[in-house]
């Protein structure tokens, strides 16, 4: 090769046909448990001729196929990109452990479902970050695709690796692996990015130049390699600084103002295998006004923006036609809040009556309005009902600003029993700020109250087989919530509280289950982590961590060993109460609500003071030029 | 009205499980508005049955399904409408009206397969044919089959020669796979899986076949009426 000058960018001639060996693929598919996870070919899959494409995007949900395919965001982005004739989007999921073993044995580089082409031949590889415990899967996917894990080790011959989604609001724990983060809603910015990428590709793509340009010019982009951080002696962050000039100090999130004119999918891929969410998903609105203080989504997706009934009806018709699904799930953060819910549901029921298409609501509020609607849409199937009081006592529900009380529960459950439901699920969190043993025992009290409500009915009015399940997760204080300064309960404390409830529940009609506190501890470390946590994720992956969100695969010992080897103190990240003055690792991102507002909410929380739903009047969360002002105030 | 339907399952869709196929047909029927009969009961499901489902990973040109309809419909029209909604690889090739009678599974007695594999010892078609001549001279070949006895599985020796109708060598394809067509017994009265046959050939003739990469396609299934081999009616 001596003396030969290579063109500046070989990647411009990136192999168009790097299809993996189909016999090798056959050989391994014969050996895995669920081969249809890896074959694609579903109804509404899009496959394009690579010769006619400018930019090819591989989209990855870093979990197993049936989980990823149940995620609405994937369907949005997939159709958004494929809607553009010159771009394509293909899918890649985390191969399940049996498949990983086979593809490593046969040395087959990870491939996309659509063209069965190697992921490393794509222009962009994008991950959606929905859950911190999927981060080791990201490293595994990169490794299986034969793509270097670290951003600095990837030159122009490899895809640009990007990431977005709710967990990108604290991008720092992944800073070494990801070239560029998208902060906020992706519909507009993804296409903008691809356009700029295409422009660079035509001129001879240089990764560093591209990254600099988008960091300088585009809102909602964060390129971690253009910034650095130094630390105080106590381990907290001293300051963040830019490594080049003219790049923003604060990264503003992207948000779409008008949901009606925004791209919305009219098709969804219909998987062959059973998935977690086997139906049409239709987004009614974005944002939430309740202001629950533990909820990150409720803060970062503000303000509320709705789609119109007309637009939704138009989409529903197209989605039913293109998928053949028989159920439409109205999915949003708190779907019952949709201002035209009654009109929408009755229009949907009218329209699809003869097609037998049903409607379902994934989240319910504890009020009779919700049950009324439910009664209408679930005429036959009286399956279980789920409510989320979140905390066992009224005092603690006020602390977290969950605006429901025991009366609401009594009314809603009583109404549900009257209408024929008999199985109730109650969701709680343990480890909430200011929580005492008494609050925790309230979980048992509420579960027993529900039981009594059922059996206090006259025998002839008790329908079905009664069961109440109280389910508790271990609270993880998340960035950009009023509780972001709060330390998490220790694992021992969680166990103490779990045992309190467990001991008290002795009734075969009442069951109690809970999440593994060790998983929540690791989740807190990563979710609240800074740049130093990237080493921990890498080490845990090297030691064999995969699918940490799956209890059968979560290996706590690996994480403990990795922390010990790297001298990382998990409690520094998870359990320590932070000062309001501390530089938090994610402070450089502006999600909308201001820090001042989060502090005032935290202060009110500790005093047990509640804050009203901001549709009843702005509560001053700090969003400039809020889209809701004209609508509700 | 009962429609007997013959369809294909080829390409990557050979990896769909029986359950996946049931889901696919259920959705397709409702999508194109076929007047299919539903079972009674609390959880009604559409009435159709797939005969003799294939093991995962086997292609087929001859899958059969009986579908019960509430109204009469022209069979050709049925096939056309369903085919428009089915994915590439799964297509109805013929369909006709039939009477309620013996179940598909109980009728099927023979399968005709195309089997492809590579060997390390013989990459010449002629050599392979010579080896097969040796096979033809064998009067009995025993293989071990697992048989369920209550909860435990016990090994059982079975002579497979009576389960073989014929074996015909077809040559080598462009990727170096030997192609063999074979008629094998299928069903409750005797069953030989193609992979069992290939395993036995490999062992008896010492060909060093790559048993991890045996590609199987079912070409047809046939009924046995008092010793007469027939198409399914
Ligand atoms: S600015 Fe006011 S109305 Fe808008 S989201 Fe914040 S609190 Fe609600």
């Amino acid at each position: 090769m001596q003396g030969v000058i290579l063109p500046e960018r070989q990647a411009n001639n990136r192999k168009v046909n790097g299809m993996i060996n189909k016999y090798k693929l056959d050989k391994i598919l014969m050996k895995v448990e669920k081969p249809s996870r890896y074959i694609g070919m579903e109804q509404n899959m899009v496959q394009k001729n690579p010769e006619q494409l400018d930019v090819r995007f591989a989209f990855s949900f870093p979990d197993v196929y049936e989980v990823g395919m149940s995620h609405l965001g994937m369907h949005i982005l997939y159709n958004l990109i494929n809607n553009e004739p010159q771009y394509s989007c293909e899918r890649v999921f985390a191969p399940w452990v049996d498949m990983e073993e086979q593809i490593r044995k046969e040395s087959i580089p990870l491939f996309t479902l659509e063209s069965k082409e190697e992921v490393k031949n794509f222009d962009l590889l994008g991950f959606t970050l929905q859950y911190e415990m999927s981060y080791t899967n990201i490293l595994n996917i990169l490794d299986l695709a034969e793509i270097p894990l670290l951003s600095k080790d990837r030159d122009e011959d490899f895809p640009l690796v990007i990431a977005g989604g709710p967990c990108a609001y604290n991008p720092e724990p992944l800073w070494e692996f990801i070239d560029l983060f998208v902060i906020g809603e992706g519909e507009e910015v993804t296409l903008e990015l691809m356009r700029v990428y295409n422009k660079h590709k035509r001129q001879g793509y240089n990764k560093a130049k591209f990254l600099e340009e988008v960091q300088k010019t585009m809102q909602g982009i964060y390129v971690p390699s253009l910034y650095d951080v130094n630390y105080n002696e106590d381990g907290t962050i001293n300051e963040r600084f830019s490594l080049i000039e003219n790049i923003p100090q604060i990264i503003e999130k992207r948000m779409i103002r008008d949901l009606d004119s925004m791209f919305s999918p009219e098709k969804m891929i219909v998987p062959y295998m059973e998935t977690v969410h086997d139906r049409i998903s239709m987004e009614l609105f974005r944002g939430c006004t309740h202001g629950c203080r533990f909820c990150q989504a409720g803060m970062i997706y503000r303000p509320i923006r709705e789609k119109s009934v007309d637009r939704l009806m138009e989409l529903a018709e197209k989605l039913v036609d293109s998928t053949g699904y028989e159920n439409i799930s109205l999915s949003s953060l708190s779907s019952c809040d949709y201002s035209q819910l009654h009109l929408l549901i009755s229009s949907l029921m009218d329209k699809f009556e003869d097609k037998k298409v049903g409607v379902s609501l994934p989240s319910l509020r504890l009020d009779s309005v919700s049950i009324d609607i439910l009664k209408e849409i679930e005429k036959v199937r009286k399956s279980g009902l789920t409510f989320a009081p979140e905390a066992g006592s009224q005092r603690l529900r006020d602390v977290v600003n969950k605006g429901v009380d025991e009366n609401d529960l009594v009314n809603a459950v009583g109404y549900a029993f009257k209408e024929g439901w008999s199985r109730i699920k109650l969701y709680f969190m343990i480890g909430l700020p200011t929580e005492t043993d008494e609050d925790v025992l309230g979980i048992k009290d509420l579960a027993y109250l529900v039981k009594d409500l059922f059996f206090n009915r006259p025998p002839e009015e008790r329908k079905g087989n009664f069961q109440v399940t109280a389910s508790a997760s271990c609270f993880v204080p998340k960035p950009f919530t009023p509780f972001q300064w709060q330390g998490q309960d220790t694992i021992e404390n969680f166990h103490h509280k779990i045992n309190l409830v467990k001991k008290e529940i002795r009734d075969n009609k009442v069951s109690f289950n809970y999440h593994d506190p060790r998983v929540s501890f690791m989740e807190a470390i990563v979710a609240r982590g800074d740049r130093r946590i990237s080493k921990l994720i890498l080490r845990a992956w090297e030691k064999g961590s995969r699918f940490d969100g799956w209890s059968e695969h979560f290996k706590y010992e690996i994480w403990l060993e990795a922390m010990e080897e790297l001298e990382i103190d998990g409690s520094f990240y998870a359990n320590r109460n932070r000062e309001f003055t501390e530089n938090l690792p994610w402070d450089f991102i502006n999600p909308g609500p201001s820090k001042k507002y989060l502090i005032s909410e935290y202060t009110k929380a500790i005093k047990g003071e509640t804050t009203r739903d901001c549709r009843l009047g702005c509560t001053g969360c700090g969003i400039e030029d809020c889209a809701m002002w004209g609508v509700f105030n | 009205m009962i429609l007997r339907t013959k369809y294909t399952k080829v390409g990557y869709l050979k990896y769909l499980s029986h359950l996946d196929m049931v889901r696919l047909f259920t959705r397709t029927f409702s999508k194109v508005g076929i007047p299919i009969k539903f079972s009674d009961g609390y959880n009604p499901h559409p009435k159709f049955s797939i005969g003799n489902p294939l093991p995962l990973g086997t292609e087929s040109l001859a899958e059969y399904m009986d579908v019960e309809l509430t109204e009469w419909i022209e069979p050709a029209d049925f096939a056309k409408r369903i085919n428009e909604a089915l994915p590439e690889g799964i297509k109805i090739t013929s369909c006709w009206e039939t009477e309620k009678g013996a179940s598909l599974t109980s009728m099927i007695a023979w399968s005709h397969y195309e089997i492809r594999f590579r060997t390390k010892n013989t990459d010449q078609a002629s050599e392979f044919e010579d080896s097969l001549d040796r096979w033809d001279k064998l009067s009995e070949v025993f293989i071990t089959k697992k048989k369920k006895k209550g909860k435990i599985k016990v090994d059982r020796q079975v002579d497979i020669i009576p389960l073989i109708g014929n074996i015909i060598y077809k040559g080598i394809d462009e990727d170096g796979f030997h192609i063999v067509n074979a008629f094998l017994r299928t069903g409750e009265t005797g069953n030989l899986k193609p992979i069992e046959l290939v395993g036995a050939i490999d062992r008896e003739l010492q060909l060093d076949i790559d048993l991890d990469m045996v590609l199987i396609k079912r070409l047809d299934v046939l009924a046995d009426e008092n010793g007469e081999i027939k198409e399914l009616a």
Side-chain angles (χ1 to χ4, degrees):
Chain A
M1 289 300 282
Q2 221 182 2
V4 178
I5 298 168
L6 289 170
E8 186 182 2
R9 167 145 166 79
Q10 286 171 305
N12 278 342
N13 315 317
R14 185 165 287 147
K15 270 183 292 174
V16 160
N17 205 342
M19 242 162 64
I20 55 161
N21 182 309
K22 70 171 189 224
Y23 292 119
K24 273 193 179 178
L25 181 57
D26 251 329
K27 183 171 171 179
I28 63 174
L29 288 177
M30 231 70 104
K31 291 186 180 162
V32 298
E33 187 198 349
K34 292 181 178 163
S36 55
R37 282 170 173 160
Y38 313 103
I39 60 172
M41 314 270 294
E42 311 94 325
Q43 186 185 329
N44 295 331
M45 178 187 100
V46 181
Q47 195 172 356
K48 298 188 175 182
N49 177 359
E51 313 279 343
Q52 288 159 8
L53 293 170
D54 292 339
V55 185
R56 304 179 70 198
F57 189 107
F59 180 86
S60 180
F61 191 106
D63 206 314
V64 73
Y65 174 87
E66 55 270 37
V67 175
M69 286 303 289
S70 301
H71 177 61
L72 176 59
M74 195 224 78
H75 294 277
I76 297 177
L77 217 68
Y78 184 82
N79 287 295
L80 169 87
I81 297 173
N82 280 323
N83 221 20
E84 305 288 314
Q86 72 282 25
Y87 303 151
S88 74
C89 179
E90 304 195 7
R91 294 161 297 155
V92 57
F93 298 96
W96 193 242
V97 284
D98 59 344
M99 183 65 167
E100 178 184 349
E101 190 190 323
Q102 294 298 331
I103 55 186
R104 286 199 190 278
K105 202 160 93 197
E106 295 294 327
S107 318
I108 300 178
L110 196 60
F111 54 92
T112 57
L113 301 190
E114 277 74 8
S115 59
K116 313 279 183 299
E117 179 162 338
E118 297 176 20
V119 172
K120 67 166 177 281
N121 295 331
F122 279 72
D123 295 297
L124 296 113
L125 167 58
F127 289 99
T128 177
L129 310 178
Q130 300 292 325
Y131 182 39
E132 290 81 2
M133 299 314 279
S134 68
Y135 288 178
T136 51
N137 283 357
I138 294 179
L139 300 192
N140 210 34
I141 287 169
L142 289 171
D143 185 60
L144 288 169
E146 299 175 1
I147 296 171
L149 303 184
L150 301 185
S151 168
K152 67 177 168 54
D153 296 337
R154 291 191 296 263
D155 61 13
E156 284 75 3
D157 283 344
F158 291 100
L160 185 82
V161 178
I162 73 175
C167 296
Y169 278 83
N170 180 17
E172 294 294 69
L174 291 174
W175 83 280
E176 277 188 288
F177 316 118
I178 305 293
D179 298 319
L180 170 164
F181 291 91
V182 169
I183 312 295
E185 292 164 349
E187 281 88 350
E188 293 165 349
V189 67
T190 306
L191 292 182
E192 284 167 28
L193 258 179
M194 291 180 79
R195 230 167 280 139
V196 178
Y197 182 92
N198 195 19
K199 183 189 85 187
H200 278 250
K201 193 173 165 179
R202 282 169 202 277
Q203 296 162 356
Y205 168 78
N206 174 291
K207 182 178 169 187
K209 274 193 199 149
F210 170 79
L211 288 174
E212 276 184 29
E213 176 177 330
V214 292
Q215 184 66 87
K216 278 180 186 157
T217 58
M218 280 171 70
Q219 189 188 327
I221 297 293
Y222 172 53
V223 177
S225 58
L226 299 179
Y227 298 84
D228 205 352
V229 178
N230 59 37
Y231 300 91
N232 298 312
E233 239 161 67
D234 64 2
T236 57
I237 291 170
N238 176 30
E239 61 165 350
R240 286 180 56 84
F241 49 93
S242 337
L243 298 173
I244 61 166
E245 282 179 358
N246 301 323
I247 55 174
Q249 292 306 305
I250 297 291
I251 310 293
E252 304 285 337
K253 76 164 174 187
R254 288 300 287 257
M255 191 195 68
I256 289 159
R257 289 192 81 91
D258 178 11
L259 262 52
D260 270 353
S261 59
M262 161 189 89
F263 175 86
S264 294
E266 298 174 354
K267 289 190 298 185
M268 283 175 73
I269 294 175
V270 184
Y272 292 109
M273 69 185 295
E274 207 163 347
T275 62
V276 183
H277 200 81
D278 233 339
R279 51 185 63 169
I280 291 170
S281 259
M282 217 166 56
E283 192 181 23
L284 308 186
F285 59 91
R286 289 188 182 167
C288 177
T289 51
H290 290 284
C292 299
R293 291 171 179 142
F294 52 82
C295 179
Q296 188 192 43
M299 296 292 159
I300 62 180
Y301 292 121
R302 281 178 182 224
I304 226 171
R305 291 143 294 148
E306 294 190 341
K307 287 184 186 172
S308 67
V309 173
D310 285 349
R311 175 73 173 137
L312 287 166
M313 290 304 293
E314 180 193 336
L315 291 170
E317 194 172 355
K318 289 182 172 151
L319 283 162
V320 168
D321 275 352
S322 68
T323 61
Y325 273 132
E326 293 190 330
N327 198 293
I328 305 175
S329 167
L330 306 177
S331 65
S332 289
L333 284 173
S334 172
S335 302
C336 295
D337 286 351
Y338 184 60
S339 58
Q340 310 284 330
L341 191 61
H342 274 287
L343 176 62
L344 175 66
I345 288 181
S346 57
S347 310
L348 287 170
M349 308 277 282
D350 281 356
K351 171 132 222 157
F352 299 116
E353 203 182 352
D354 44 318
K355 282 194 177 167
K356 295 204 196 83
V357 176
V359 178
S360 61
L361 281 168
S363 59
L364 274 187
R365 265 211 327 264
L366 275 169
D367 56 23
S368 51
V369 184
S370 303
I371 307 276
D372 249 348
I373 289 168
L374 206 67
K375 194 173 75 179
E376 194 177 333
I377 61 183
E378 293 207 11
K379 283 198 179 101
V380 255
R381 211 166 42 88
K382 294 264 162 35
S383 51
L385 267 190
T386 300
F387 296 109
E390 312 290 2
S393 71
Q394 191 55 47
R395 189 196 67 79
L396 201 52
R397 283 193 292 275
D398 287 345
V399 168
V400 303
N401 205 40
K402 181 82 187 182
V404 296
D405 59 27
E406 202 170 292
N407 260 339
D408 295 325
L409 181 71
V410 170
N411 289 337
V413 169
Y415 198 68
F417 290 153
K418 196 167 132 235
E419 295 302 330
W421 275 276
S422 60
R423 284 186 300 124
I424 305 288
K425 235 184 171 180
L426 302 174
Y427 274 136
F428 296 97
M429 279 185 277
I430 43 178
L432 292 165
T434 76
E435 184 179 64
T436 63
D437 287 358
E438 212 175 303
D439 296 317
V440 177
L441 283 170
I443 294 175
K444 175 229 150 187
D445 296 339
L446 281 189
Y448 273 68
L449 174 70
V450 168
K451 185 196 138 198
D452 291 343
L453 285 170
F454 186 83
F455 288 102
N456 288 345
R457 301 171 62 76
E460 64 279 8
E461 284 177 28
R462 294 177 213 157
K463 288 173 231 157
N465 209 346
F466 176 78
Q467 185 70 38
V468 57
T469 304
S471 185
S473 62
C474 299
F475 176 57
V476 178
K478 290 270 164 108
F480 297 118
T481 66
F483 293 150
Q484 64 177 352
W485 294 279
Q486 175 77 31
Q488 190 188 35
D489 261 0
T490 60
I491 292 180
E492 296 71 43
N493 246 335
F494 277 131
H495 279 302
H496 161 76
K497 291 176 176 177
I498 286 165
N499 285 332
L500 272 182
V501 184
K502 228 162 77 176
K503 272 203 310 246
E504 290 293 320
I505 291 185
R506 284 188 232 97
D507 191 316
N508 60 7
K509 299 273 179 224
V510 183
S511 55
F512 176 61
N513 57 48
Y514 51 90
H515 288 190
D516 183 349
R518 300 171 309 168
V519 179
S520 305
F521 176 60
M522 289 319 308
E523 189 187 332
I525 293 170
V526 178
R528 301 154 65 78
D530 53 33
R531 290 190 163 204
R532 293 167 294 190
I533 292 301
S534 71
K535 294 269 185 292
L536 173 62
I537 298 166
L538 180 60
R539 184 66 63 90
W541 170 77
E542 284 167 350
K543 292 163 111 20
S545 278
R546 318 260 184 287
F547 290 105
D548 294 293
W550 295 71
S551 51
E552 70 263 45
H553 290 295
F554 175 70
K555 297 191 192 81
Y556 186 49
E557 318 75 57
I558 288 187
W559 287 95
L560 282 185
E561 276 171 36
M563 284 197 283
E564 199 170 310
E565 286 165 26
L566 297 165
E567 295 178 14
I568 287 174
D569 172 11
S571 69
F572 173 84
Y573 292 99
N575 311 121
R576 179 174 59 94
N577 282 322
R578 306 186 188 198
E579 299 293 328
F580 289 144
T581 50
E582 180 177 333
N583 277 326
L584 301 173
W586 50 88
D587 270 350
F588 65 98
I589 282 169
N590 180 7
S594 66
K595 195 167 189 175
K596 202 170 119 224
Y597 178 71
L598 297 180
I599 292 176
S600 92
E601 279 297 290
Y602 183 78
T603 318
K604 281 172 86 178
I606 301 303
K607 288 190 273 186
E609 290 171 17
T610 58
T611 296
R612 67 168 178 259
D613 183 322
C614 74
R615 273 173 310 177
L616 306 172
C618 175
T619 55
C621 78
I623 291 179
E624 284 166 38
D625 192 20
C626 174
M628 276 177 61
W629 288 344
V631 185
F632 296 104
N633 293 306
Chain B
M1 165 192 206
I2 299 174
L3 272 179
R4 179 150 294 170
T5 308
K6 185 178 182 183
Y7 62 94
T8 63
K9 186 184 175 196
V10 296
Y12 282 115
L13 296 187
K14 69 182 176 182
Y15 291 109
L16 298 190
S17 69
H18 178 62
L19 209 72
D20 295 338
M21 294 299 286
V22 171
R23 286 161 39 83
L24 171 65
F25 282 121
T26 308
R27 236 184 8 246
T28 309
F29 291 146
S30 84
K31 191 174 169 209
V32 298
I34 296 289
I36 189 152
K37 199 165 167 185
F38 274 75
S39 66
D40 302 326
Y42 185 66
N43 205 350
H45 54 271
K47 288 185 93 165
F48 64 89
S49 64
I50 297 177
N52 220 302
L54 289 166
L56 230 62
T58 303
E59 286 186 288
S60 178
L61 301 181
E63 293 296 279
Y64 280 90
M65 169 176 62
D66 282 352
V67 189
E68 242 186 287
L69 303 175
T70 54
E71 297 163 28
W72 195 84
I73 173 169
E74 181 70 51
D77 184 44
F78 171 86
K80 186 168 165 272
R81 280 161 67 191
I82 298 286
N83 277 346
E84 275 166 15
L86 283 173
E88 209 56 55
I90 297 178
K91 293 288 168 199
I92 294 176
T93 50
S94 57
C95 96
W96 60 92
E97 192 171 354
T98 185
E99 301 291 310
K100 222 180 199 122
S103 77
L104 273 169
T105 309
S106 68
M107 286 173 69
I108 295 171
W110 289 94
S111 291
H112 191 204
Y113 293 104
E114 178 196 89
I115 309 168
R116 294 193 296 149
F117 49 82
R118 285 172 173 154
T119 71
K120 295 205 181 88
N121 290 353
T122 41
D123 48 13
Q124 298 294 323
S126 56
E127 280 177 51
F128 191 88
E129 271 195 299
D130 292 347
S131 310
L132 266 189
D133 283 346
R134 279 195 283 136
W135 172 269
D136 285 342
K137 297 199 180 78
L138 299 171
S139 57
E140 51 179 27
V141 174
F142 282 91
I143 65 164
T144 312
K145 275 189 173 257
K146 297 233 180 276
K147 203 188 170 186
K148 259 199 203 140
K149 255 197 175 170
K151 271 196 177 154
I152 43 165
K153 280 186 177 168
V154 289
D155 286 351
R156 189 170 58 107
Q157 296 301 310
V158 182
D159 178 14
I160 62 170
I161 296 294
L163 301 176
I164 301 170
N166 65 24
I167 300 176
I168 294 168
Y169 185 63
K170 308 291 276 189
I172 290 188
D173 74 6
E174 69 269 28
D175 292 318
F177 282 78
H178 293 287
I179 307 170
V180 166
N181 283 9
F183 262 102
L184 306 178
R185 282 303 294 262
T186 303
E188 287 136 14
T189 54
N191 195 56
L192 180 60
K193 294 180 197 149
I195 190 73
E196 291 172 327
L197 173 70
V198 176
I201 292 178
D202 181 49
R203 194 189 62 210
E204 293 296 324
L205 308 180
Q206 302 194 346
L207 293 172
D208 210 353
I209 293 173
D210 182 356
L211 292 173
D212 279 342
M213 225 194 278
V214 179
L215 306 172
I216 300 162
K217 185 190 267 178
R218 183 150 84 186
L219 302 174
D220 213 346
V221 289
L222 297 147
D224 188 333
E225 267 179 35
N226 309 318
E228 204 184 326
I229 296 178
K230 279 182 154 178
E231 295 256 348
L232 298 194

